[in-house]
Amino acid sequence: MAADNLPGGKNVKVEFEDGIAWVTLNRPEKRNCMSPALNDEMVQVLDALEIDDRCKVLVLTGAGEAFSAGMDLREFFRATDGLPYVQQMRVRRSSATWQWQQLSHFMKPTIAMVNGWCFGGAFTPLISCDLAIAAEEAQFGISEVNWGIIPGGQVTRSLVQAMSVRNAMYYTMTAETFDGKQAAQMGIVNEAVPKAKLRERTTQLAKMLVAKNPHALRACKEAIRSCLSIPFEASGDYLGAKSSQLRLIDDENGRNQGLTQFLDEKSYRPGLGAMRRDKE
Ligand code: COA
């Protein structure tokens, strides 16, 4: 089903299917490079999807041959070079807002489906997504040094979170491209599959997430992101508090349901699959 009452529609396409919101960067003729207009649209789309019940899992992908060729060199860089500082900051802010802040804190699971070219600035939304599946044939490149700049915005920060320092150095300094299989070996994506199987595998993964308790999923992803930056000692206290918070806000009463179904009803094994969700 296509999205009816959502913002955007010019540079971004949104479709719903069985709880999955397929969000497609939709400038295929420009290899889905990210212009200020696309960035503004994505800010609104993500804002709307966060509270839209048709979206239980979000998949981010690109139309045509590219996931995204990074920032729009014409509209994001050259066209803003002469603008007053505050206007340049306004343009950069919407880019950072959706690519990093909104996506990495999105309250539902997110999957990047890397269907093709993925360059420069596109690494930020890629790494901000919780999970990523790539086509084996997709080509990745941290190409900034090739045109005389550094990977700015949130790119370098994202890279050192997702890659080893050696690999971040190598691919940032050489701008050598790598494919989906190499991206999977380096852990930048969870797995790579032949392009012909990409949508099928992504759908399978998304449906697995749609079936799980959304409060527990949200708490899991928030906990992982927070644990990246808090000291080891404090993490025990934080995770205890996070667990208590989850029990308070989980209107499915998942923890007790899970214990009852395993210990009393013996209707499932938590190690082997998800519990029955009576609230669905
Ligand atoms: N910014 C602005 N325009 C871009 C762009 C970008 N990042 N990436 C592609 N385009 C435009 C091209 O200028 C071209 O526009 P035109 O038809 O008006 O001439 C169109 O998209 C198609 O690009 P083209 O280079 O002809 O496609 P391709 O399939 O041969 O190559 C890429 C694809 C991605 C390898 C190539 O476009 C490229 O190197 N893009 C820049 C990648 C990059 O370094 N991004 C980092 C930005 S932070």
Side-chain angles (χ1 to χ4, degrees), residues 173-198:
M173 294 172 73
T174 64
E176 206 172 88
T177 56
F178 52 94
D179 65 17
K181 279 188 189 171
Q182 291 169 289
Q185 281 159 7
M186 288 189 275
I188 298 168
V189 300
N190 295 93
E191 60 187 81
V193 296
K195 191 166 181 182
K197 298 265 180 205
L198 183 62

Side-chain angles (χ1 to χ4, degrees), residues 29-31 33 65 69-73 117 119-121 143-144:
E29 72 291 353
K30 297 289 179 189
R31 306 299 180 262
C33 66
E65 298 164 37
M71 305 314 298
D72 188 319
L73 272 62
W117 302 118
F119 284 100
S143 52
E144 283 84 344

Side-chain angles (χ1 to χ4, degrees), residues 30 71-80:
K30 297 289 179 189
M71 305 314 298
D72 188 319
L73 272 62
R74 184 186 303 281
E75 294 185 36
F76 187 83
F77 289 103
R78 181 187 278 171
T80 62

Side-chain angles (χ1 to χ4, degrees), residues 121-241:
F123 277 78
T124 303
L126 165 65
I127 293 167
S128 293
C129 285
D130 303 322
L131 302 168
I133 312 275
E136 291 174 351
E137 300 88 335
Q139 289 288 317
F140 297 72
I142 305 159
S143 52
E144 283 84 344
V145 73
N146 282 346
W147 58 286
I149 69 163
I150 64 165
Q154 277 71 33
V155 178
T156 295
R157 184 64 186 85
S158 303
L159 290 175
V160 297
Q161 185 167 301
M163 298 174 100
S164 72
V165 171
R166 282 276 179 248
N167 283 330
M169 284 285 185
Y170 184 87
Y171 288 103
T172 300
M173 294 172 73
T174 64
E176 206 172 88
T177 56
F178 52 94
D179 65 17
K181 279 188 189 171
Q182 291 169 289
Q185 281 159 7
M186 288 189 275
I188 298 168
V189 300
N190 295 93
E191 60 187 81
V193 296
K195 191 166 181 182
K197 298 265 180 205
L198 183 62
R199 175 122 182 170
E200 180 188 327
R201 172 61 185 132
T202 307
T203 304
Q204 184 188 40
L205 177 61
K207 284 189 172 170
M208 192 193 298
L209 299 174
V210 167
K212 294 194 195 297
N213 177 313
H215 302 288
L217 276 178
R218 187 175 63 251
C220 284
K221 57 182 268 186
E222 287 170 354
I224 288 175
R225 290 198 189 275
S226 295
C227 283
L228 284 169
S229 62
I230 58 177
F232 206 93
E233 285 305 320
S235 67
D237 189 45
Y238 162 81
L239 290 170

